[in-house]
Amino acid sequence: MDTQKLLGEVAGQLLSGDIKVVDLTAPLGPNTPLIKLPPELAVDTPKVEIHEISKYDKNGPWWAWNWLKLGEHSGTHFDAPQHWITGKDYPDGATDTIPAQNFIGPVNVIDCSKEAAADHDFLLTVDHIKAWEAKHGAINPGEWVVMRTDWYKRNGSEAEFLNANETGPHTPGPTAEAIQFLISKDIKGWGSETIGTDAGKAGGMEPPFPAHTLMHKANRYGLASLCNLDQLPPKGAILIAAPLKIERGTGSPIRALALVPRG
């Protein structure tokens, strides 16, 4: 295969629009929903702040720019292995040490939108994944796997997005067995449209928070608060999910993009 020719063809199809770029990212600002943790357990990420430095004025007559205050895991974001205690010892497990090639790969989109609409606590199981593979083809090593739930449509309201009551948050996600099954297939990482990569009730699972605990233990990656997965095919798209190169970063807000054949 002539790789240079292939890249030229891809570039041409991007310019012509035959390859569509789908934005999988939520806006990042003061109203971005952020996870809420029990105060006796942890300190929460502060709200996103955007502060003006200058706007064509005495502080900068010909330019406008801002400074930001935000947590690494705000909005649509990337979880590096060092985000979780099980992945803390990987030397290539921070945002500045992960090989850049690992941020890009084919993506498998498992559509659970109907199930999640009927049951906010819906859990993706191994049987669901096997049934999806029987219909769409095998999930291969080095590929991303993401769970479509259409939960991103709640992103405009933190209360609706977190969907918590006196019994805790109620959002869809994977079982521990599903995550272990995907790891056994040597995937690149796991992504969701909810506030985090785990289900709302994942704290009570074994192990707790399996998407975090098991994925990062295996030196794999997580993507949270993805949007517009309903615009992707089950197979055939390329996902680009590159975090900022933060020194010893445990994660980063991202501009997640997908390259999709225009149908």
Side-chain angles (χ1 to χ4, degrees), residues 18-19 21 34-35 47 137 171-172 216 221 255:
D18 289 335
I19 293 178
V21 179
L34 298 171
I35 196 166
K47 292 189 76 66
T171 56
H216 300 322
Y221 317 119
R255 187 69 178 262

Side-chain angles (χ1 to χ4, degrees), residues 1 9 11 30 65 70 76 78 122 143 182 184 186 189 244 250:
M1 179 183 295
E9 291 176 353
W65 52 358
L70 71 165
T76 304
F78 181 100
F122 171 76
E143 297 183 341
L182 292 173
S184 75
D186 199 21
L244 296 172
T250 70

Side-chain angles (χ1 to χ4, degrees), residues 233-245:
K235 271 186 170 291
I238 300 294
L239 176 62
I240 304 169
L244 296 172
K245 200 170 183 178

Side-chain angles (χ1 to χ4, degrees), residues 158-193:
E158 185 173 81
E160 290 185 14
F161 198 58
L162 299 182
N163 199 39
N165 59 20
E166 65 279 358
T167 63
H170 298 276
T171 56
T175 63
E177 293 77 15
I179 291 295
Q180 193 61 63
F181 178 69
L182 292 173
I183 292 170
S184 75
K185 299 180 78 66
D186 199 21
I187 67 166
K188 187 182 300 291
W190 161 262
S192 74
E193 293 182 322

